[in-house]
Amino acid sequence: MSLSRRMVLGAAVSGAALSRPALAQRPWPNRPIRLVLGFAPGGVGDLTARMIAPRISEGLGQPIIIDNRPGAAGIVAAEPVARSVPDGYTMLLLTTTNSTADAMYRSLPYDTNRDFAPVARVATFDHVLLTAANSPYRTLRDVIEAARAKPGSINLGSIAVGNAQHLGAELLRSMAGVDMTIVPYRSTPDLINATTTGDVHLASEILAPVLAQVQAGRLRALAMASAERYPLLADVPTANERDLPGYMVGSWNGVAGPAAMPRAIVERMNTEIGRALALPDIREKLLELGVTPAFSSPEEFGAFIRSEGERWSRIVESSNIPKQ
């Protein structure tokens, strides 16, 4: 082979070698991003994600595709994200359910604190304690006193054993020191129907899916399980301020990626989530749903996830709930 031909071939090989890193380092994102959700379409978390995703996409210049994977306490959604390539194109809507799963299951196929890179907390969801509109109970104290007067006579409804609503019901029973019969229902509509008809005397549920029922007078809110009253239900006291001091239960969600996701991607996504949540129309729509924007830094969200795992573990232990 002539010297000139060897030089040409060598330059071609060198150029190809240099082009591969150049392609690999194209600015993120350059294709759609998949956001995996651990629940079916239509729920409050799904609605929240679908509301803010287009606004985040505007800043990123790429669409965000919502991928619903319901089932098994969020494990079906979380496991593939934890094992995905950490390139910023697969992320998870991490929720309270992931923390309650940590507390309820003896083992999981991932570690919530170790296998995810926190990006930002998105929102919090207040919980509420409800009864039928024609119920004789006007306050949470009325229900607790009725349960003390006749142990086992009060039904306390929730959904899905092991989630925040169910554990909130278990915590209420434990803190009040009363014998209530906890009845789990398959879905929120089932629980609402049973509460409306009086089959359930007291229901533990997230505010968002029942807010319209309360505002329309079909259900009576006895107490919020939050630290503060909800702005759209300002006349409903918190359990902590009056009838059951110390009782506070809430839900949340946020975005996370696989653990080794580059810091630059974490920061860019965090910035765009914060921008979307700061938009006045987004904030207004979220509040109308019963959702409170709760944006945070990646570090704050990471610390929050750890504290939530510890808190729910304490609740499970103190309420003597058997692990699965």
Side-chain angles (χ1 to χ4, degrees), residues 149-167:
K150 193 175 180 181
S153 64
I154 298 296
N155 288 336
L156 176 52
S158 72
I159 64 167
V161 172
N163 71 4
Q165 295 97 305
H166 171 249
L167 294 183

Side-chain angles (χ1 to χ4, degrees), residues 29 56-63 268:
I56 298 172
S57 295
E58 290 173 3
L60 294 175
Q62 291 291 338
R268 175 74 189 284

Side-chain angles (χ1 to χ4, degrees), residues 271-286:
T271 296
E272 296 304 334
I273 291 172
R275 184 188 61 79
L277 290 174
L279 295 171
D281 64 318
I282 292 295
R283 294 185 65 85
E284 182 178 350
K285 289 177 182 177
L286 288 174

Side-chain angles (χ1 to χ4, degrees), residues 62-80:
Q62 291 291 338
I64 295 177
I65 299 170
I66 304 296
D67 182 0
N68 298 90
R69 297 193 180 190
I75 299 170
V76 173
E79 183 178 6

